[in-house]
Amino acid sequence: MITVFNRKELVSTYNMGEQSEIRNILSQNKIDYDIKTINRKSPSPMAAGSRAHTGTFGEKLELEYEYTIYVKKEDYDEASYLIRDVKPR
């Protein structure tokens, strides 16, 4: 089980294809992982409803979601080695 105390960030990306490929590699090699997905366009408690005023004109929609993948600290070196050739799409 991965917890805040035994995990290490493997990679952070905005690319859905890249995170999917990394997750597939980790699964195929039986490396446990956890993924955190953040919607960068969602309103925050400090600015609720601000998106309705500003819209998304001129914003890069490919930067809307950020994916952070964590692995156990003891699996980090192996996982890092396995994903070294994953290229952003």
Side-chain angles (χ1 to χ4, degrees), residues 10-11 17-33 69 71 78-87 89:
L10 178 64
V11 67
E18 183 180 0
Q19 66 86 15
S20 177
E21 187 174 348
I22 290 169
R23 289 175 41 221
N24 286 337
I25 291 169
L26 295 174
S27 292
Q28 290 170 358
N29 289 278
K30 297 180 179 31
I31 296 176
D32 197 18
Y33 67 88
I69 299 175
V71 295
E78 180 183 1
S80 181
Y81 177 78
L82 290 169
I83 68 162
R84 71 193 181 284
D85 293 330
V86 175
K87 303 283 188 247
R89 295 179 184 185

Side-chain angles (χ1 to χ4, degrees), residues 1-10 26 30-34 69-80:
M1 180 173 164
I2 296 179
T3 68
V4 173
F5 304 108
N6 72 353
R7 73 180 185 184
K8 187 169 182 178
E9 182 179 321
L10 178 64
L26 295 174
K30 297 180 179 31
I31 296 176
D32 197 18
Y33 67 88
D34 190 25
I69 299 175
Y70 299 95
V71 295
K72 290 181 182 176
K73 288 179 183 176
E74 63 260 19
D75 293 335
Y76 177 81
D77 289 335
E78 180 183 1
S80 181

Side-chain angles (χ1 to χ4, degrees), residues 4-71:
V4 173
F5 304 108
N6 72 353
R7 73 180 185 184
K8 187 169 182 178
E9 182 179 321
L10 178 64
V11 67
S12 184
T13 182
Y14 289 96
N15 188 304
M16 181 184 254
E18 183 180 0
Q19 66 86 15
S20 177
E21 187 174 348
I22 290 169
R23 289 175 41 221
N24 286 337
I25 291 169
L26 295 174
S27 292
Q28 290 170 358
N29 289 278
K30 297 180 179 31
I31 296 176
D32 197 18
Y33 67 88
D34 190 25
I35 186 164
K36 180 179 177 183
T37 304
I38 299 172
N39 182 344
R40 294 287 177 194
K41 303 287 185 206
S42 65
S44 70
M46 301 305 232
S50 63
R51 185 173 177 198
H53 298 293
T54 60
T56 58
F57 180 74
E59 294 181 10
K60 293 185 176 189
L61 295 179
E62 64 267 14
L63 300 179
E64 185 171 354
Y65 290 95
E66 179 180 11
Y67 307 96
T68 305
I69 299 175
Y70 299 95
V71 295

